[in-house]
Amino acid sequence: MARSCQQLLVCLCFLGVCLPRSVSAYEPPAQILFGGDLAYPPLEWLEKNQIKGFNIELAREVARIGGSKAVHQLGNWPDTVHALEQGRLDVVPMYYSLERSRKFIFTQAYLYSSHAIYALPSAMRVSSIDGLVDKTVALEEESFAHQQLRHLVNKPNLVLTSNTLTAIEAVLQGKADYAVLASLAAESLLRQHEWKLERMGPPFWSRGYAFAVNKNKPELAEWLQDSLSATIANGQYQTLYQKWHNELEPAQRNNRWLSFFSTGFALLLALLALGGSWYWSLKRKVEMRTHELSEALVQRESAEQELRRAAQFDAQTGLAKLPYFIDQLDDYFHSHQQPVKQEKEILVLKLVDLDVIVRTFGFSRAEMIVSALASHLIKLEDAFCSYLGRGVFALFLNKGNALALFEHLSSAMAESDPGLSSQFVGGSAYWPQHGRSAGKLMRHAETALAMSEVRHRRWLAYEAAMEPSRVDLDIISIFIDGNVQGIFPVFQPQLDLRSGKITSAEVLVRWQHPRLGLVPPNVFIPLLENSGLIEQVTEQMIDEAVRVAVLLRKRYLPCCISINIAAYDLIETNLAEIVSQTLVRYQGLPSDIKLELTETSVASDPQRVQQVLGELSERGIYASVDDFGTGYSSLSYLSLFPIRELKIDRSFVGDMLDNPRNHSIVRSTILMARELGLVTVAEGVEDDQTLQMLKKDGCDIAQGYVIARPLPEAEFIEFMCAHAAQTFDISQFMKG
Ligand code: C2E
Ligand code: CA
Ligand code: CA
């Protein structure tokens, strides 16, 4: 027995549960508080107010050898686990699992045991966990079995109990059909109470059983490991094990004859039995060999389980990997096809600023945020979660719970570690409404997520309209082929509210296609930006803007023309070079043009943008922030870049006289911009009252239909000749 035990302990080290060994000068506390379950024989239990069990005696011995004293506190299992997590207990013996190893420090395992399904003899036989779908199953809350079952997609209805005894009682009282329990404790309780529950098949989930120590006490854990090793080495462990042998290995005692005959040595032994004294020694050898073989099998099965688990679950987060997630969902959809009782939702969730966090604070900070979010996701009882990498998670849950879940996760993140709270966006697709396979639903949920990001929304559900249309593909293929016909500029004048003169304008692209007609920029520009094709439009607009500005200046009508620049232009092209060469070609001055960028493109690659804008401002070319107020960034963030001007978005300006909230946003933006020395432009000014109010609020420049619509080149030059030199009079212009 001693040999097989030691062999077992050596094998358990293979599972990676051993701690690094070191000789430390650690002084253990006078008393160590061990927790445990009230009713978990033969390992620990309370009988007539007396604490008993193998764990209790082992803990006493281990503590004594290390120069301390074990004090025991038994209670409900979930409370015991929480108390260890919160440091109210020092040590609790339990089954090792990956999920638990993230919360506790484990010593080397000192026992090895498995789990099984139990039910009344009349129950339908099930031989594995897969057979429990749709059944009611009693489980000890926070037990190893609970952890395994709660992450299944096809999970049974769970009845959670405070210990193994109450789980058995739930089955006896008809509250549950089956119970999944650690077989050592379950069988001991069944024998003790003579209850007629049966094991429904072979045991499974063979695991190491070890001391778990509170995560904040690594020195205590190391000391405990050393003391445990000493207890094994000095033979004390074996003595204790022999004492509890009948309790710890009851199956071997009960099935002694069965295993004995089944080995094939029975006949041989029967003959040898005639030889008298040989009988006992050989019988013992056969028993030991049989036992060793069965343990080797159990260990191999367990190692295979570990490998399977490593293939299915992500090591950092403990969440399912994508292929396993997809497989599990497809299994679920397959077995719940008709009729659909509960509609489901796949939610893809993304930490928005993870790239920025990596660049600013490094990978470890980003990993902490991902792990923190994963730790909240893993606790969700009603969701099956997967980690797809780079801050993206997928969740499978009942339909309609996404926004409530967002609230819950935001506050859980903020509460658990305020320094780590982070923003996330999401997109959902519904089963069966949007598709019947996991692959298709994942694609739709990703489309909805991308749309949330583009529209700066927190969460959106998938709609067919989000898919790229035939026209979109048509447009992209026209630009890919090159030599696009019908692109031309229009110019929208801007009024300087301080001088009352027209001193600037914005160039806007127009596209008149022979087959598609006049295509609005809102349709084709986002497509070109997202497919990396915007460069050709930008280059053409830079060319037109410089040419027209030089032409006007030569007529003594100086006009600075703004050009819209996309994130792609800033990051992927050599913008500073393109602009400089165009200026040289037309003999332009830096003050002839300025560049309009959006907040989102500034935030997408801050370092690169800072470098490009730096080069441009050294050459005297200034930048303006377009659509201000609609992105994620703040004014204080933007002030880190060499920027001269803010364009307040037309969604705030258009209705500011009827919408006090928007008016106050406009006013406070003007005030803050002035403090930072920035010029403000209000766009989308459609009437004279708004124009007058903006002037009163201290806005510098206005752009909008009240001054002029975007005009083709000839009309724009005519407009400039008529208005640029003198003070612009709206009433006169409106009459005209
Ligand atoms: P944006 O840069 O915000 O341009 C201003 C848009 O507001 C223009 O629409 C203009 O016609 C419109 N607008 C001007 N005044 C008023 C007004 O008083 N009321 C209302 N309701 N609208 C007004 P447009 O020309 O359709 O351009 C739409 C968007 O397309 C632009 O928004 C810009 O994001 C993009 N875009 C246009 N031309 C270019 C370009 O050459 N390059 C790039 N990258 N984007 C461009
Ligand atoms: Ca613009
Ligand atoms: Ca704008």
Side-chain angles (χ1 to χ4, degrees):
M1 179 61 239
R3 215 183 102 212
S4 67
C5 228
Q6 275 162 350
Q7 199 176 38
L8 179 65
L9 290 163
V10 171
C11 286
L12 283 165
C13 296
F14 160 74
L15 289 178
V17 292
C18 297
L19 289 166
R21 215 57 62 76
S22 76
V23 182
S24 72
Y26 175 68
E27 269 295 315
Q31 293 193 335
I32 294 163
L33 194 51
F34 283 77
D37 194 324
L38 268 178
Y40 206 63
L43 298 176
E44 65 226 4
W45 79 99
L46 202 63
E47 195 179 294
K48 294 181 191 143
N49 272 338
Q50 272 231 306
I51 291 176
K52 298 187 166 178
F54 175 72
N55 279 345
I56 309 289
E57 293 188 15
L58 180 65
R60 274 189 198 135
E61 189 53 32
V62 167
R64 189 191 63 76
I65 271 196
S68 179
K69 185 168 182 273
V71 180
H72 282 94
Q73 187 178 310
L74 303 188
N76 280 343
W77 184 245
D79 298 342
T80 301
V81 173
H82 291 146
L84 179 65
E85 219 175 325
Q86 290 158 1
R88 286 183 279 114
L89 287 172
D90 298 319
V91 184
V92 175
M94 62 175 80
Y95 284 99
Y96 170 84
S97 78
L98 195 65
E99 190 174 336
R100 283 176 172 168
S101 72
R102 257 179 241 114
K103 289 191 214 156
F104 309 120
I105 311 172
F106 278 86
T107 62
Q108 158 188 9
Y110 59 80
L111 257 187
Y112 205 60
S113 177
S114 43
H115 291 69
I117 303 168
Y118 294 87
L120 289 165
S122 55
M124 209 172 77
R125 297 208 83 76
V126 284
S127 54
S128 72
I129 290 294
D130 299 340
L132 293 176
V133 179
D134 294 335
K135 305 284 188 303
T136 307
V137 176
L139 290 178
E140 190 182 356
E141 191 178 350
E142 286 299 335
S143 64
F144 178 82
H146 181 207
Q147 286 186 335
Q148 301 298 305
L149 286 183
R150 74 174 161 208
H151 296 313
L152 293 181
V153 184
N154 279 322
K155 64 171 158 261
N157 305 318
L158 304 183
V159 173
L160 298 180
T161 67
S162 58
N163 57 42
T164 306
L165 186 72
T166 43
I168 295 176
E169 281 170 347
V171 178
L172 290 169
Q173 292 160 4
K175 290 182 197 153
D177 308 323
Y178 301 90
V180 179
L181 302 168
S183 34
L184 200 54
E187 276 162 32
S188 177
L189 285 165
L190 292 177
R191 275 197 309 278
Q192 200 178 324
H193 294 269
E194 295 185 348
W195 280 328
K196 294 274 170 282
L197 239 54
E198 278 185 6
R199 198 169 79 186
M200 292 275 110
F204 47 87
W205 293 340
S206 307
R207 288 290 143 148
Y209 192 86
F211 289 120
V213 183
N214 176 275
K215 197 114 214 183
N216 298 324
K217 299 175 183 166
E219 288 185 314
L220 176 68
E222 202 168 325
W223 168 84
L224 194 66
Q225 171 63 56
D226 286 342
S227 309
L228 177 61
S229 303
T231 312
I232 293 167
N234 72 7
Q236 214 30 51
Y237 174 86
Q238 277 86 339
T239 310
L240 263 182
Y241 196 94
Q242 292 290 12
K243 180 181 162 192
W244 287 88
H245 177 229
N246 286 347
E247 255 59 52
L248 295 171
E249 293 188 46
Q252 200 196 346
R253 186 193 54 189
N254 294 343
N255 295 334
R256 177 177 286 185
W257 291 104
L258 185 68
S259 59
F260 173 54
F261 280 109
S262 66
T263 56
F265 287 97
L267 186 60
L268 180 63
L269 280 178
L271 286 170
L272 285 170
L274 298 171
S277 64
W278 282 100
Y279 171 82
W280 290 107
S281 88
L282 200 61
K283 177 172 162 285
R284 180 144 180 75
K285 275 187 191 159
V286 170
E287 267 181 13
M288 274 173 64
R289 182 75 190 125
T290 314
H291 187 61
E292 278 168 18
L293 281 174
S294 76
E295 273 182 353
L297 267 176
V298 165
Q299 282 159 22
R300 205 180 74 182
E301 188 205 330
S302 164
E304 280 171 5
Q305 270 180 9
E306 285 292 322
L307 282 175
R308 247 195 325 267
R309 203 181 148 76
Q312 292 165 341
F313 292 90
D314 173 63
Q316 184 199 350
T317 58
L319 300 176
K321 289 182 179 171
L322 184 61
Y324 180 61
F325 183 74
I326 297 263
D327 274 359
Q328 292 286 299
L329 262 54
D330 277 333
D331 280 356
Y332 179 91
F333 297 148
H334 193 69
S335 57
H336 291 75
Q337 260 166 357
Q338 292 299 341
V340 173
K341 287 191 209 134
Q342 169 67 59
E343 289 180 75
K344 292 279 178 178
E345 171 165 354
I346 293 185
L347 165 67
V348 179
L349 191 151
K350 178 180 174 187
L351 287 159
V352 271
D353 40 8
L354 206 65
D355 286 347
V356 179
I357 290 169
V358 170
R359 282 195 295 269
T360 323
F361 301 106
F363 271 105
S364 58
R365 172 77 166 207
E367 271 180 9
M368 274 166 76
I369 294 176
V370 167
S371 299
L373 185 55
S375 75
H376 295 301
L377 292 176
I378 222 162
K379 283 189 206 139
L380 298 173
E381 291 282 342
D382 302 320
F384 177 55
C385 309
S386 167
Y387 183 52
L388 317 187
R390 296 203 70 83
V392 183
F393 298 81
L395 283 73
F396 180 62
L397 59 167
N398 286 344
K399 182 185 165 184
N401 290 323
L403 280 174
L405 184 71
F406 264 54
E407 290 306 319
H408 164 75
L409 290 176
S410 298
S411 51
M413 288 283 278
E415 231 170 69
S416 61
D417 192 340
L420 283 188
S421 63
S422 182
Q423 281 192 330
F424 33 84
V425 286
S428 293
Y430 302 138
W431 174 81
Q433 187 186 340
H434 297 137
R436 287 186 174 267
S437 75
K440 187 169 183 185
L441 288 164
M442 278 299 289
R443 199 163 48 74
H444 288 342
E446 296 258 13
T447 305
L449 170 70
M451 205 45 85
S452 302
E453 288 189 275
V454 169
R455 295 188 194 160
H456 303 292
R457 297 281 296 275
R458 206 169 171 209
W459 170 85
L460 286 174
Y462 172 79
E463 290 165 26
M466 291 173 177
E467 293 292 345
S469 70
R470 221 163 238 298
V471 179
D472 292 351
L473 297 175
D474 206 4
I475 291 171
I476 291 176
S477 71
I478 292 173
F479 275 85
I480 286 178
D481 290 346
N483 192 21
V484 185
Q485 302 295 311
I487 296 273
F488 65 95
V490 289
F491 300 85
Q492 188 172 30
Q494 297 176 333
L495 174 66
D496 187 323
L497 295 171
R498 298 155 299 189
S499 65
K501 289 185 179 151
I502 307 280
T503 51
S504 52
E506 176 177 5
V507 64
L508 295 156
V509 68
R510 291 294 174 262
W511 186 27
Q512 180 76 48
H513 187 261
R515 180 163 48 84
L516 299 173
L518 185 67
V519 189
N522 284 337
V523 172
F524 71 93
I525 294 287
L527 288 176
L528 300 185
E529 285 183 354
N530 293 334
S531 45
L533 292 164
I534 189 72
E535 192 179 355
Q536 34 187 317
V537 171
T538 310
E539 279 191 27
Q540 193 173 340
M541 290 304 116
I542 293 173
D543 196 277
E544 302 283 9
V546 175
R547 184 178 58 78
V548 171
V550 170
L551 189 148
L552 286 171
R553 186 159 43 77
K554 289 192 173 154
R555 294 193 191 182
Y556 303 102
L557 302 168
C559 178
C560 176
I561 300 184
S562 310
I563 305 149
N564 290 285
I565 300 294
Y568 181 91
D569 299 317
L570 274 170
I571 295 159
E572 303 290 340
T573 73
N574 197 349
L575 187 69
E577 248 346 276
I578 295 170
V579 170
S580 307
Q581 282 169 10
T582 316
L583 287 176
V584 170
R585 190 158 61 246
Y586 292 103
Q587 297 178 317
L589 298 176
S591 59
D592 286 334
I593 53 166
K594 65 190 164 199
L595 305 178
E596 284 190 11
L597 354 148
T598 60
E599 290 165 89
T600 331
S601 56
V602 171
S604 63
D605 187 348
Q607 272 172 354
R608 170 85 180 133
V609 172
Q610 212 152 19
Q611 177 212 338
V612 177
L613 295 186
E615 272 177 51
L616 286 160
S617 84
E618 273 169 25
R619 299 176 198 192
I621 298 155
Y622 298 116
S624 164
V625 174
D626 202 359
D627 305 339
F628 183 76
T630 61
Y632 302 121
S633 333
S634 66
L635 200 49
S636 59
Y637 176 72
L638 289 173
S639 66
L640 301 174
F641 299 87
I643 282 162
R644 265 289 175 88
E645 185 180 278
L646 281 191
K647 291 189 80 172
I648 308 171
D649 191 63
R650 59 183 184 278
S651 60
F652 303 114
V653 176
D655 66 349
M656 67 178 224
L657 295 186
D658 305 320
N659 184 334
R661 202 177 149 261
N662 280 350
H663 192 183
S664 86
I665 291 174
V666 171
R667 266 199 310 250
S668 52
T669 308
I670 295 170
L671 280 175
M672 278 193 296
R674 185 174 293 172
E675 298 230 323
L676 292 167
L678 300 175
V679 172
T680 43
V681 181
E683 56 176 23
V685 189
E686 294 188 353
D687 53 68
D688 191 32
Q689 290 94 312
T690 307
L691 192 78
Q692 298 311 328
M693 183 55 83
L694 284 164
K695 197 170 167 182
K696 215 166 112 200
D697 290 340
C699 180
D700 302 310
I701 296 173
Q703 176 181 351
Y705 295 166
V706 69
I707 301 153
R709 293 201 171 239
L711 305 166
E713 181 182 335
E715 283 176 46
F716 173 58
I717 291 175
E718 215 174 287
F719 180 93
M720 288 302 287
C721 292
H723 301 286
Q726 68 238 352
T727 307
F728 184 77
D729 178 354
I730 287 185
S731 57
Q732 182 201 354
F733 180 69
M734 284 170 111
K735 269 181 244 147

